[in-house]
């Protein structure tokens, strides 16, 4: 075929256009998958933020049971010594509430710390994944641009060879 044949040049242009369309589709699919990953990360983070709720509820129930038990024991002990109607009962109940409250707060703070650490780990994982996906997308995009550029230049290179009197392609051994 003649290299100046518009049909041949049109085929090369069509190849370039098809490749660009495929590359756009690949990037679109990649972006969709990246969006799904972002949703998955958000779901994990939301679940992690509620991890401690059940534990903290249990701590509150246990603290209430412990306080009730401690107050009963204190009341019984003071009554057995004839001090059941004294101000010592109120003082002991108040002391029990402080002690149990501090212990419960410490336990709930430990739960909060564990949840915070888990959220930080998830956040770091998310940032790492987003950075990796960004790099991968850039690589895909650059590869597509290179492909489109090379396919787009092919007809021009062939025409240049003809104009320069070099229709022979040494790489393929074909005479154009």
């Amino acid at each position: 075929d003649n290299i100046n044949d518009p049909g041949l040049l049109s085929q090369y242009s069509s190849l370039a256009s098809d490749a660009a369309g495929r590359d756009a589709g690949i990037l679109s699919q990649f972006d969709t998958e990246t969006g799904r990953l972002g949703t998955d990360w958000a779901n994990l983070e939301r679940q992690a933020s509620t991890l401690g709720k059940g534990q903290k509820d249990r701590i509150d129930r246990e603290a209430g049971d412990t306080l009730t038990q401690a107050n009963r024991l204190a009341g019984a002990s003071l009554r057995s010594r004839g001090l059941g109607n004294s101000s010592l009962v109120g003082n002991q109940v108040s002391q029990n509430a402080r002690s149990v409250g501090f212990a419960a707060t410490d336990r709930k703070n430990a739960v909060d710390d564990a949840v915070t650490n888990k959220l930080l780990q998830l956040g770091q994982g998310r940032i790492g994944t987003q950075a990796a996906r960004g790099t991968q997308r850039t690589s895909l995009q650059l590869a597509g641009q290179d492909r489109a550029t090379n396919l787009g230049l092919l007809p021009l290179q062939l025409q240049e060879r003809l104009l320069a009197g070099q229709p022979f392609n040494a790489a393929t051994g074909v005479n154009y």
Side-chain angles (χ1 to χ4, degrees):
D1 287 1
N2 183 350
I3 194 66
N4 290 316
D5 179 359
L8 183 59
L9 295 177
S10 156
Q11 289 175 9
Y12 283 125
S13 293
S14 178
L15 280 174
S17 177
D18 290 349
R22 279 192 305 276
D23 289 339
I26 289 169
L27 286 175
S28 176
Q29 183 178 1
F30 187 85
D31 291 343
T32 298
E33 291 169 3
T34 300
R36 282 190 200 123
L37 281 173
T39 299
D40 291 346
W41 278 109
N43 288 337
L44 284 173
E45 290 166 348
R46 188 174 42 258
Q47 289 173 351
S49 70
T50 64
L51 282 177
K53 183 172 179 1
Q55 287 177 299
K56 288 163 80 173
D57 289 346
R58 184 176 40 81
I59 290 168
D60 286 338
R61 281 191 311 276
E62 290 173 358
D65 294 345
T66 300
L67 181 58
T68 299
Q69 179 87 7
N71 287 342
R72 283 183 187 153
L73 289 173
S77 175
L78 289 171
R79 279 190 300 279
S80 72
R81 291 185 268 160
L83 301 170
N85 291 329
S86 70
S87 63
L88 291 175
V89 172
N91 290 343
Q92 189 59 52
V93 166
S94 178
Q95 178 59 38
N96 288 346
R98 277 194 300 278
S99 296
V100 171
F102 288 150
T105 298
D106 287 346
R107 289 176 63 200
K108 289 195 285 187
N109 285 341
V111 170
D112 286 341
D113 288 347
V115 170
T116 298
N117 287 335
K118 182 55 72 179
L119 287 170
L120 286 172
Q121 289 171 352
L122 286 170
Q124 290 169 344
R126 181 181 214 180
I127 289 168
T129 299
Q130 287 173 331
R133 295 295 286 189
T135 300
Q136 292 166 349
R137 188 184 196 290
T138 299
S139 295
L140 283 172
Q141 193 170 18
L142 290 174
Q145 288 172 352
D146 288 347
R147 204 171 11 264
T149 299
N150 290 336
L151 286 171
L153 287 175
L154 189 57
L156 296 173
Q157 291 169 341
L158 291 173
Q159 285 181 333
E160 273 183 348
R161 284 189 188 129
L162 275 177
L163 291 173
Q166 302 171 357
F168 180 76
N169 183 341
T172 62
V174 175
N175 253 336
Y176 294 108

